[in-house]
Amino acid sequence: MRNGQPPAVDTDLLKTFLEVTRTRHFGQAAENLFVSQSAVSARIRLLEESLGVRVFTRERNNIQLTPAGEKLARYAERILTTWNRARQEIAVQTEEGILLAVGGAPSLWDILLQEWLHAVHARDPHLVLTAEVHSPDQLLRRLLEGSLDLAFTFEPPQAARFAVSEVMCIPLVLVASRAGLGVEAALGEGYVLVDWGSSFADAHALHFPDLSTPRMRLGLGRMALAFLQARGGAAYLAESMVEAALSAGQLHRVEGAPVLHRTAYAVYPEAGEHRALVESLLGYFAQGGGVGTGSNTCP
């Protein structure tokens, strides 16, 4: 900081800083950014001169963030996201459109949000959509930053500034690649535990307290479905995901297994600029859109 004035920072400097932070290698960062390594070095040097501090310690084959660099990393991505959102908003307004940024948990895109996105796109030709996939923590952070207008998640935030709406109850059913398996056999050697969030984990532990640690744990329902079809086994999957496989005899429901339910929530700012539009678009679920075997309220 010079003469008591805050430094003016080129966004290219922040992009370069984040790329070096990610790769921990000036040469790889240069390749990813399509610039020369000397340009990357010059940008980092200019950034450090602008801030008045070192952001990296540079030793042979060992690039590490300094404490100041650690702090900058927490803000750099937010600054770039806000800047990009501002540029998009201005461009869209010039073209008389509306920009809507939507984010969702990975599994929700597979079983719920893809069809909603198609319906929203068909409904309003003036709507410019940005769709993203993030973890629950990242979704909340982007809502707080203002880079998302709407987020879909299994875990609603406990924050007064957000409106939270239940959009769908998603039944999760135990299916297996072999017919005639009982619950105990399905939960045995070939069981695949899918991460459907903390509420599912709690319900799963309540129903199956003596279950030994499964050999396979997967973070996405679609990964588990592909694994079962290729290698066999059993897993809890969204009912809508397995309808075709059940009809084709590729998978089979495990008789006597409890159905575990997950609620999908829509989260958006109470005072958001596009709140009326968001609530209008959420009407798709109230009208019966989305997961064919789901409902809006879990039992």
Side-chain angles (χ1 to χ4, degrees):
M1 187 174 296
R2 300 172 180 173
N3 302 320
Q5 297 297 319
V9 179
D10 188 330
T11 55
D12 283 340
L13 303 187
L14 293 179
K15 291 176 184 176
T16 303
F17 165 74
L18 288 174
E19 193 60 33
V20 175
T21 298
R22 189 180 68 81
T23 62
R24 301 301 170 100
H25 193 281
F26 276 47
Q28 185 61 55
E31 184 176 332
N32 293 347
L33 294 169
F34 302 100
V35 298
S36 66
Q37 185 168 337
S38 61
V40 169
S41 298
R43 289 178 183 180
I44 296 301
R45 185 166 58 252
L46 183 57
L47 178 65
E48 291 179 328
E49 289 175 358
S50 179
L51 294 172
V53 294
R54 298 281 297 275
V55 295
F56 292 113
T57 58
R58 297 185 277 281
E59 300 176 2
R60 185 176 181 84
N61 298 323
N62 185 19
I63 296 175
Q64 298 295 328
L65 287 166
T66 64
E70 295 278 2
K71 290 181 181 178
L72 178 61
R74 293 198 292 268
Y75 290 99
E77 186 176 353
R78 185 183 308 174
I79 292 169
L80 290 176
T81 298
T82 303
W83 170 244
N84 289 331
R85 178 68 188 272
R87 288 194 308 142
Q88 292 170 357
E89 287 274 10
I90 292 168
V92 167
Q93 288 175 4
T94 302
E95 298 167 2
E96 297 184 353
I98 300 173
L99 176 66
L100 190 73
V102 180
S107 289
L108 280 175
W109 283 109
D110 292 336
I111 60 179
L112 178 67
L113 299 181
Q114 194 65 51
E115 291 182 11
W116 174 81
L117 189 68
H118 297 170
V120 168
H121 181 266
R123 165 187 149 160
D124 192 341
H126 298 293
L127 196 59
V128 179
L129 288 164
T130 300
E132 304 175 4
V133 180
H134 296 294
S135 68
D137 289 343
Q138 289 175 316
L139 289 171
L140 178 58
R141 178 167 59 83
R142 289 180 177 269
L143 282 170
L144 289 168
E145 292 170 0
S147 57
L148 282 182
D149 299 299
L150 171 64
F152 293 91
T153 179
F154 285 125
E155 314 293 342
Q158 303 299 316
R161 62 185 294 182
F162 292 121
V164 179
S165 173
E166 295 184 13
V167 295
M168 189 65 62
C169 178
I170 300 169
L172 303 173
V173 296
L174 184 59
V175 296
S177 57
R178 290 169 49 199
L181 287 184
V183 176
E184 185 175 352
L187 296 175
E189 180 69 18
Y191 182 60
V192 177
L193 181 60
V194 182
D195 181 8
W196 292 105
S198 57
S199 297
F200 170 79
D202 292 342
H204 191 276
L206 181 64
H207 282 284
F208 311 115
D210 300 322
L211 179 68
S212 59
T213 303
R215 291 182 56 194
M216 181 70 71
R217 302 169 68 95
L218 297 176
L220 290 176
R222 101 175 92 93
M223 293 170 62
L225 176 58
F227 184 86
L228 263 58
Q229 291 175 322
R231 301 291 298 167
Y236 265 99
L237 295 173
E239 198 167 22
S240 61
M241 292 183 71
V242 296
E243 286 178 338
L246 291 172
S247 298
Q250 298 171 340
L251 294 176
H252 311 271
R253 286 191 68 151
V254 177
E255 295 298 327
V259 177
L260 305 182
H261 297 86
R262 292 304 327 266
T263 300
Y265 298 90
V267 185
Y268 50 97
E270 285 263 2
E273 177 185 1
H274 301 310
R275 175 169 180 170
L277 172 62
V278 165
E279 292 180 341
S280 172
L281 296 177
L282 292 178
Y284 168 82
F285 299 106
Q287 295 164 9
V291 180
T293 53
S295 63
N296 288 92
T297 304
C298 285

